[in-house]
Amino acid sequence: MARHAASIAVDVGKAIDTAAVEIVTRKGGRTNFATASDHAAEGEILRRLRDLDGSVPILAEESARDELRRAERLWVVDPIDGTLNFAHGVPFYCVAIGYVQDGCVRAAAIHAPRLRETFVASEGSGARLNRLPVSVSAVARARDAFVVSNLSRGAAGRADSRFTQLNRVCARLRVTGSAALEIAYVAAGRFDLFVHEQLSPWDIAAPGLVAREAGAAVLSLATGRDAAWDEPRVIIGNPALVKDAIARMDLIREK
C-alpha cells in the first residue's frame, strides 16, 4: 500500500498544472479555497485508487464525506496540501495519501513535486525520504527547539494563545503553510517540534504515520495521550522534547 501511495503521489504531483490556479471552490475565509489544479489532482488520485481496489472508500479533501472516517478501511487524500502556497508560486506544497485500516494508518506517502522530495512509511518499517531512512531530531529541551506551528487569526496578539507561548519559550518558530510537509520535516529532523490545533483528517493521516515511524510521539493537545489518526489538535516531536514542551507550556487543554 505504501508503494502504491508513493507511485500515485509522485505521478500526480509531477502532472499538477502550476498555471491552473484559478479558484474553483471557496470553503470559508479569504485563504481557504481550492484551485482547478486541486480538483484535477484529486480526480486523478481517486481514479487510480479505484482502479487499484474499488471496494476501498476514499476520504479526499475536495469531495469529503465525513461518515467515511468510520470505515474499516479507507484511503485519506489531500491532493494539494498548501494550496495558498501553490496558488502564489511558493514551492512548499505536497500531495499526501494515507491508508487507514481498523482505525490506524498503515501506509503513507507525501510527495513535494517542486522540491522533488518523497516521504514514504509503512507500519513497523520506518520512514524514508527519497529512499533513505529518516529520524526525528535529538533536541530534548523546548528552549533549544526549532518549532513549526499554525497561526490562526489574532493568535500572535493574544498572550494566552499556544502560538504566543511557543514563540516565548522555544528557540525559533516558523509558519510555513503546509501541515503535511511540516510534519514530514519533523520526521526528517529539519524541524524539532510541530504544534497545530486546526487539522483536517487529510492533513494528519499520512504525515502522522511518517512521523511515528521516524521515532516521533504524536499526542493529542486535547488529552495529552496518543493521537487518533484524524486528531485535529496535535503536538509532534521526539518523546523527550514533547514531554518538556508540555511541562513548560499550557499546551494540553480539554475542550
Side-chain angles (χ1 to χ4, degrees):
M1 289 301 190
R3 287 194 298 271
H4 288 310
S7 176
I8 294 170
V10 170
D11 289 348
V12 172
K14 288 179 178 178
I16 289 174
D17 184 355
T18 57
V21 296
E22 62 270 23
I23 297 174
V24 173
T25 307
R26 289 194 178 275
K27 296 177 277 187
R30 290 176 297 175
T31 61
N32 190 7
F33 56 83
T35 67
S37 287
D38 287 89
H39 286 276
E42 179 168 302
E44 180 60 15
I45 294 169
L46 266 59
R47 183 191 68 78
R48 291 190 52 169
L49 289 176
R50 287 167 179 156
D51 285 348
L52 183 65
D53 185 346
S55 69
V56 181
I58 306 167
L59 180 68
E61 180 176 14
E62 309 309 334
S63 57
R65 291 163 45 208
D66 194 61
E67 68 273 14
L68 293 180
R69 292 162 73 164
R70 298 182 290 276
E72 182 179 344
R73 297 188 301 155
L74 73 155
W75 291 100
V76 184
V77 171
D78 195 335
I80 300 179
D81 182 62
T83 295
L84 185 62
N85 288 347
F86 167 77
H88 286 78
V90 178
F92 200 74
Y93 64 88
C94 65
V95 180
I97 303 175
Y99 175 72
V100 178
Q101 186 172 18
D102 299 326
C104 294
V105 184
R106 311 292 185 181
I110 299 163
H111 178 63
R114 294 283 295 278
L115 305 174
R116 298 181 180 179
E117 293 187 325
T118 307
F119 296 83
V120 183
S122 57
E123 187 180 35
S125 297
R128 294 179 177 271
L129 165 57
N130 292 350
R131 301 185 178 182
L132 297 176
V134 293
S135 61
V136 293
S137 79
V139 172
R141 298 183 299 183
R143 69 183 186 185
D144 300 324
F146 189 19
V147 181
V148 62
S149 185
N150 69 312
L151 179 60
S152 57
R153 180 178 290 274
R158 297 199 317 270
D160 65 341
S161 74
R162 289 194 182 101
F163 183 90
T164 301
Q165 291 181 66
L166 287 164
N167 197 40
R168 183 171 60 246
V169 174
C170 299
R172 291 289 185 273
L173 181 62
R174 294 288 185 270
V175 177
T176 60
S178 171
L181 267 184
E182 290 166 354
I183 297 170
Y185 277 21
V186 170
R190 295 173 177 175
F191 289 122
D192 301 311
L193 190 70
F194 172 90
V195 181
H196 204 298
E197 49 191 339
Q198 295 176 323
L199 296 172
S200 296
W202 38 86
D203 297 324
I204 182 64
L209 179 65
V210 173
R212 283 189 169 101
E213 289 296 321
V218 182
L219 302 187
S220 167
L221 285 172
T223 67
R225 296 187 292 271
D226 192 47
W229 71 266
D230 56 350
E231 170 63 52
R233 301 186 298 276
V234 299
I235 179 169
I236 301 175
N238 77 66
L241 176 57
V242 168
K243 181 179 179 180
D244 186 65
I246 290 172
R248 292 181 181 278
M249 291 172 276
D250 180 25
L251 293 177
I252 306 300
R253 303 174 189 170
E254 295 278 359
K255 287 191 177 182

